[in-house]
Amino acid sequence: MAQSMLLYWGSGSPPCWRVMIALEEKQLQGYKHKHLSFDKNEHKCEEVKALNPRAQLPTFKHGDIVVNESFAACLYLESAFKSQGTRLIPDDPVEQALVYQRVFETNNLQQKMYDVAFYAWYVPEGERHESALKRNKESLIAELKLWEGYLEKMGKGSYLAGKNFTMADVVCFPVIAYFPRLHCPPERCPRLMEYYEMLKDRPSIKASWPLEWLEKPEGQDTLKNL
């Protein structure tokens, strides 16, 4: 079954990483894949554009089915292989609601992290303002407090949506992994760092760990002054 799958991906991209974690959790090892370089704009190639008009990664194909958005690809894999591997969406409506809530809240955490960590990359030099970066930092700190509160309420040793590893963890872990890599002060998010330590050696996460992170474990220090 996995041989009929093809994933175009870029290393270090949280959207790509979460699809790879989902594939591992659903025991779909052996899928075909093509690693493309963002730096070389390889994701803008005609091969990707033929499947994904936005020329973005991940681009995922299963037989004749094409699913390009990372959340959609992860949810598709859970639906198509519900009884295989790790059950990522619980049946209980209350538990399910919390999983979906955390999944889609990940967008907020990811964007606010990007706004600080990659500010110099996104904003041209002549348009950068210290006041704007300060506002971005304040917004990220507030977001981190929310997630810290979620884990505090869940209790020590909890996953993002309860006692079991779920789609919330598949989707959000690749974002959380950026905080220690980019030197975020641990005191800003101690519970998230406990969570990171708990999950970083999970087989699905280790198997899909970004290539350049293996070669260079520490990234830039763009979150150092958060």
Side-chain angles (χ1 to χ4, degrees):
M1 183 63 70
Q3 283 295 312
S4 62
M5 297 178 179
L6 174 60
L7 176 69
Y8 295 86
W9 62 286
S11 186
S13 156
C16 294
W17 193 359
R18 63 177 59 115
V19 176
M20 297 169 81
I21 293 173
L23 285 161
E24 291 288 330
E25 291 288 341
K26 301 310 293 183
Q27 297 180 351
L28 293 166
Q29 296 88 349
Y31 60 91
K32 298 174 183 176
H33 62 93
K34 290 192 176 182
H35 174 220
L36 303 177
S37 168
F38 289 112
D39 292 339
K40 297 177 182 178
N41 277 328
E42 290 178 347
H43 57 297
K44 303 294 185 182
C45 67
E46 293 304 316
E47 190 175 351
V48 171
K49 286 181 180 178
L51 298 173
N52 188 341
R54 290 192 173 92
Q56 295 175 339
L57 301 180
T59 290
F60 177 71
K61 188 173 186 289
H62 177 207
D64 295 327
I65 300 169
V66 177
V67 191
N68 292 319
E69 294 296 325
S70 64
F71 286 10
C74 289
L75 292 170
Y76 166 76
L77 289 169
E78 173 63 13
S79 177
F81 301 95
K82 189 173 183 178
S83 61
Q84 182 169 315
T86 306
R87 187 70 176 275
L88 298 173
I89 303 291
D91 283 330
D92 180 79
V94 175
E95 295 176 5
Q96 191 178 102
L98 183 57
V99 170
Y100 285 133
Q101 177 70 28
R102 296 292 176 262
V103 163
F104 289 100
E105 276 188 294
T106 297
N107 273 328
N108 297 323
L109 181 62
Q110 179 174 307
Q111 188 57 56
K112 292 178 190 300
M113 183 269 288
Y114 281 6
D115 288 344
V116 175
F118 306 118
Y119 181 77
W121 189 82
Y122 282 128
V123 182
E125 187 172 0
E127 299 176 19
R128 297 172 198 163
H129 300 283
E130 189 60 36
S131 59
L133 180 56
K134 182 181 178 181
R135 286 194 299 272
N136 291 349
K137 287 181 178 180
E138 290 172 349
S139 183
L140 176 55
I141 289 168
E143 186 70 21
L144 284 173
K145 287 180 179 177
L146 279 176
W147 288 86
E148 285 284 298
Y150 295 155
L151 284 173
E152 184 69 31
K153 185 176 180 180
M154 289 289 177
K156 192 174 180 63
S158 172
Y159 295 99
L160 290 179
K163 63 182 180 179
N164 297 315
F165 182 93
T166 67
M167 188 65 75
D169 305 290
V170 170
V171 164
C172 199
F173 179 85
V175 177
I176 293 172
Y178 264 88
F179 287 91
R181 176 169 174 79
L182 299 182
H183 302 271
C184 177
E187 60 270 19
R188 279 291 182 201
C189 48
R191 297 306 298 267
L192 282 172
M193 290 306 93
E194 287 178 8
Y195 169 83
Y196 167 80
E197 290 295 331
M198 182 176 77
L199 260 69
K200 67 183 177 65
D201 291 324
R202 188 176 177 90
S204 63
I205 290 170
K206 288 187 71 174
S208 54
W209 201 259
L211 300 175
E212 69 271 25
W213 293 22
L214 293 172
E215 298 167 0
K216 188 179 179 182
E218 293 191 0
Q220 297 177 321
D221 59 0
T222 49
L223 296 178
K224 180 179 67 174
N225 296 319
L226 192 65

